[in-house]
Every structure is written in structure tokens, then in C-alpha cells.
Amino acid sequence: MPPTRNYIDGEWTDSESGDTFETVDPAAPDDVVATYQESTAADARAAVTAAADAAAEWASTPAPDRGAILKAAGDVLADRKAELTAQLTREEGKTHAEAGGEVQRAIDIFHYYAQKTRDLGGTVKSSSGGRTNLYTREEPVGVAALITPWNYPIAIPAWKIAPALAAGNTAAIKPASLAPGPAVSIVDALDDAGVPEGVVNLVTGPGSTVGNALIGHDRVDAVSFTGSSAVGGTVYDLATDDGKRVQTEMGGKNPTIVTESADVEAAADIVAAGAFGVTGQACTAGSRAIVYEEVYDEFVDAIVDRAQAIDVGPGDEYGMGPQVSADELQSTLEYIDVGVEEGARLAVGGEALDGGRFGDGYFVAPTVFGDVAPDHRIAREEIFGPVLAVLEVGGFDEAIQVANDVDYGLSASILTRNHTEANRFVEEIEAGVAKINEKTTGLELHVPFGGFKGSSSETWREQGDAGLEFYTIEKTVYENF
């Protein structure tokens, strides 16, 4: 299979380096999925130059015409859904159902923002003087550099690319090297849909080279990043030092509070879905269950049963797939060791899975720790694997204090029949997403998404109208007639 190429100024091109890198199936690491360009800073600069040169013409294209291209791209993705689902499962490791859901989300995002282009424009205000039209215009920011992660390799590129293009910006995107294929497929769909040359550009390769070159380029006006908190802080500093508009969405240590009034069996189902879905590799994964003492023992027994019932194996056949890489698996196993060393009780799981259907894949058993203290590292640090820490509390006040006493604030949930508890939770939780009687994962595409504290730069939200706001700037017009 020939290497996948970069997409710059409407052409599929090789990197100037001549070097390539491979991705592998995390369920079977000897299986090479695809080969990509090991790009250089020069390739990144070429992508930005193409985007900048195309910016004025794309910005002047009527918004509904831009929307028509987005709609056509969404239709292409829909026609290729089965192929894209298989690609995502092989390269990232999600189960077939999870991958299919993510591909559908990307399709829906393109169709959503295609329609939103008809709402772009501005507002009309009444002037305090006569014979004056007073109104605003929404205009594109310019060139957007988009840096996306491997854990949602088609949905996150979609929710950055679609609003950027809808608002009239041009873009240069660098997908994560562990799973760049789905982002390449999005760009291929846009190419087939007739996107003009230079409007969208894609460069694969290392973040330290390609990503930094994109962020630091003086013709880039806005930077959108999703990834780890450590890298996100560096991205934010680099972008803001140059005066660029920037949004960063990063990690989470997301709690689910299980109250005395909750149905324990239903609560175990909800917490298990949030903790072990997508192999725990989601920034919104529910990695902490904060449980009232009255139902603590019953809940631990129930969640252990749920973990034991999960059928782990290759994503095309089983209910929980592998971790994405050997490094991610090793990191999870190290955190499991930390939990044991700190004195938490390993209730179930905790081991790598190999042999038989697991082969040499990056599999780990769904893991539950009981008797976790709030100061344990497994209760405070993002693990990014299928590991749940269960903490016992005496009631609501202690639960909310424990929930908030971490450096993150992305998604949080409470399971309760008590209306007062539910409303106090919404008021007092320090999180960008607050859910009542739902898992911490799962997002609607038409409402804002983002976190508090170390989960986000707290500058701009993504998705829905908020996604368009990041990519537009307002001009106020006074027309005296």
C-alpha cells in the first residue's frame, strides 16, 4: 500500500523529508494499518501559506455556498460510513459499535454546520440618532491551525474543521500520529465535495515539529488544540505569546456521585458505561465513583459484576477493545501498581491480557479499586484507561468537596432521586459539563463543550453556536444615510 500523502493547496503531496511512519492495529501490533508522511516544519509552513493565500476568496464566498460544500462532504462520509468505521477500529482500536457511532457523529457535525451557515450574518440594533443603520457583521478570524488527538480521530477533527470552514476561515490541520487516517478521510471527503484549493490543508507528523510550526506561524490567526494538559499548556503559551486566538481542551478526572437514593443496579450500569466505554480513553471518562456510605458496599459489588461481564477483545468482535498503544497500556498498568502501593483495594482486574484472542495486543482488564482515599494519585490524576476509583463519603457536602478537589473540571454526574441534591450539584460542581442521572461521557453536538480549571484554557467553547463564535469576529457598522 503506497504511503498516504499530505494535502496542501488542493494537492496530495509527499513530505519534503521523504520519510514516513506507520500505524498499527492496537489489537494486533504486527498488522500495519497505513503509512503516512513524516512531515517537517517546511511542510507545515507550506500548508499555512496555502491557507493564507486562499483566505480572502473563501471568506468572500457566500456562506450558504460554503455550507453546500460541507453538506456534500458529510454526504461523502455517509456513503463511506462502513469503510470509515472499519478504518477507525483498526487504527485506534474502538469497538465496531463505538467506531460507527463516532463516524455518524462526524457526518452529523458536517450536516449541522452546513445548515448553520444560513444563520451567519450579525444583528441589527436601533440607533440613538436618526437616519442611521446600526448593525454588526460576523467575519472570519482568518487562518486556523487545528491540532487533534488520537482518541476521537474523526469526531474531533470534524468539530474543528466544520465550524472553521463554515465561518469562512481556512485551515491547516495536524492529526495525532497514532491514528491520523480518519482525519485524512475527512479531508479526502472535502476534496471530493469540491472544496477550493488551499481552504483546508493536512500535514501528518510529530507535534514537536509540525504542530509547533503551525502554532508559531505568523500567518496563523487562531489555534484550536485538543489533547493532554501538559501539551495544551505549552500550546496555549506559544499561541498567546504571539497574540493568537486560542482554545485548548484537555484532560479530566471526572466524578460520578452515587447517592443513597440512587437505584444501585442502574447506577452501576451508568458508571460502568462511563468508566469502561471506549476503553476509558476519553477525556470525559468517569474515572471516579464517589459513593454514599449507605450504598457503598452494594455499589462496589455491582460495579465489580459489571467489569467482570465485559467481553474484552479485538474491537471488530468484542465489547471493549485495546488501548491505542504500548505506551498507553504501560501507563495504565503503572497507575494500577500505584493504586496498590497506596493502599487502595484492587477489587477486580488490574492485569494485562495476552495470548489467545488477545495475542500481542494492548489489552488490559477493566479495573475497579475500592477503599480509595481522596489524596490517592489514582483519585487525582488522569489515567486514560479502563480504571475506576471508588471513594466512600458520608453525604452530599463531602461528595461535592471530594468531586471538586482535583485540578480538572471537565464532566461530572450525580445519580439521585433527590431534587435538592440535583440542583445543588448543578450549582456547586466545578465542571464545564454537569449531568444528572447520566454517564459522564456522551455529548450533544449543538451545545457548548469545554471544561474548567486544568481541563481547558477557559477561553472559548467548542461545538454548537460556541464553535462558530471561536472562528468569527464581530464588526460594528454605523451607516448614516
Side-chain angles (χ1 to χ4, degrees), residues 286-342:
S287 58
R288 293 183 293 157
I290 301 170
V291 185
Y292 284 22
E293 58 190 1
E294 293 88 350
V295 295
Y296 178 82
D297 290 336
E298 183 183 358
F299 175 82
V300 171
D301 289 344
I303 196 68
V304 166
D305 288 345
R306 301 307 189 278
Q308 290 175 325
I310 294 172
D311 204 10
V312 182
D316 55 355
E317 295 183 49
Y318 293 90
M320 191 183 93
Q323 299 226 240
V324 74
S325 69
D327 286 345
E328 290 295 328
L329 173 61
Q330 183 60 34
S331 176
T332 297
L333 295 173
E334 288 174 358
Y335 269 111
I336 291 170
D337 290 341
V338 166
V340 172
E341 292 166 3
E342 289 183 321

Side-chain angles (χ1 to χ4, degrees), residues 79-90:
D79 289 342
R80 298 174 184 170
K81 182 178 179 181
E83 170 191 337
L84 294 172
T85 298
Q87 176 193 46
L88 203 161
T89 293
R90 284 193 68 213

Side-chain angles (χ1 to χ4, degrees), residues 169-195:
N169 301 272
T170 56
I173 181 170
K174 192 211 87 68
S177 294
L178 284 172
V184 174
S185 295
I186 286 178
V187 172
D188 188 41
L190 282 163
D191 183 53
D192 287 352
V195 71

Side-chain angles (χ1 to χ4, degrees), residues 35 56 100 190 203 229 254 276 285 325 353 379 395 420 429 448:
T35 305
L190 282 163
V203 183
S229 297
N254 310 295
F276 307 128
S325 69
L353 303 173
T420 298
I429 194 68

Side-chain angles (χ1 to χ4, degrees), residues 336-346 369-373 376 378:
I336 291 170
D337 290 341
V338 166
V340 172
E341 292 166 3
E342 289 183 321
R345 177 171 62 89
L346 181 58
F369 277 100
D371 302 334
V372 178
H376 285 173
I378 61 170

Side-chain angles (χ1 to χ4, degrees), residues 40-359:
T40 67
D43 297 313
R45 289 192 292 269
V48 174
T49 297
D53 290 347
E57 185 173 351
W58 183 244
S60 66
T61 300
D65 290 350
R66 300 195 297 260
I69 291 175
L70 296 181
K71 171 64 165 57
D75 292 344
V76 172
L77 294 175
D79 289 342
R80 298 174 184 170
K81 182 178 179 181
E83 170 191 337
L84 294 172
T85 298
Q87 176 193 46
L88 203 161
T89 293
R90 284 193 68 213
E91 194 164 64
E92 196 273 346
K94 279 188 173 72
T95 68
H96 189 271
E98 291 165 345
E102 185 180 341
V103 172
Q104 185 60 52
R105 184 178 184 85
I107 295 165
D108 293 344
I109 287 167
F110 271 88
H111 287 164
Y112 171 80
Y113 282 110
Q115 289 297 317
K116 292 297 289 184
T117 57
R118 297 183 179 276
D119 294 333
L120 296 174
T123 58
V124 176
K125 301 293 185 180
S126 295
S127 171
S128 58
R131 296 181 179 272
T132 300
N133 290 328
L134 183 62
Y135 61 96
T136 65
R137 287 172 48 91
E138 294 174 345
E139 299 189 351
V141 174
V143 176
L146 312 177
I147 300 173
T148 62
W150 52 262
N151 63 320
Y152 283 91
I154 194 165
I156 293 178
W159 82 47
K160 293 183 188 294
I161 292 171
L165 269 56
N169 301 272
T170 56
I173 181 170
K174 192 211 87 68
S177 294
L178 284 172
V184 174
S185 295
I186 286 178
V187 172
D188 188 41
L190 282 163
D191 183 53
D192 287 352
V195 71
E197 295 175 1
V199 169
V200 63
N201 305 271
L202 178 141
V203 183
T204 56
S208 58
T209 302
V210 176
N212 286 352
L214 292 178
I215 297 163
H217 200 294
D218 60 6
R219 297 185 77 180
V220 166
D221 302 290
V223 176
S224 181
F225 167 88
T226 300
S228 72
S229 297
V231 177
T234 301
V235 169
Y236 182 83
D237 290 343
L238 182 60
T240 54
D241 283 349
D242 291 340
K244 295 179 171 66
R245 181 177 292 205
V246 60
Q247 64 180 182
T248 62
E249 294 301 337
M250 300 175 284
K253 192 64 181 174
N254 310 295
T256 300
I257 297 173
V258 182
T259 70
E260 180 184 10
S261 66
D263 180 307
V264 172
E265 293 299 319
D269 289 337
I270 291 169
V271 172
F276 307 128
V278 297
T279 320
Q281 298 178 134
C283 56
T284 55
S287 58
R288 293 183 293 157
I290 301 170
V291 185
Y292 284 22
E293 58 190 1
E294 293 88 350
V295 295
Y296 178 82
D297 290 336
E298 183 183 358
F299 175 82
V300 171
D301 289 344
I303 196 68
V304 166
D305 288 345
R306 301 307 189 278
Q308 290 175 325
I310 294 172
D311 204 10
V312 182
D316 55 355
E317 295 183 49
Y318 293 90
M320 191 183 93
Q323 299 226 240
V324 74
S325 69
D327 286 345
E328 290 295 328
L329 173 61
Q330 183 60 34
S331 176
T332 297
L333 295 173
E334 288 174 358
Y335 269 111
I336 291 170
D337 290 341
V338 166
V340 172
E341 292 166 3
E342 289 183 321
R345 177 171 62 89
L346 181 58
V348 70
E351 71 276 3
L353 303 173
D354 55 21
R357 68 173 182 262
F358 307 115

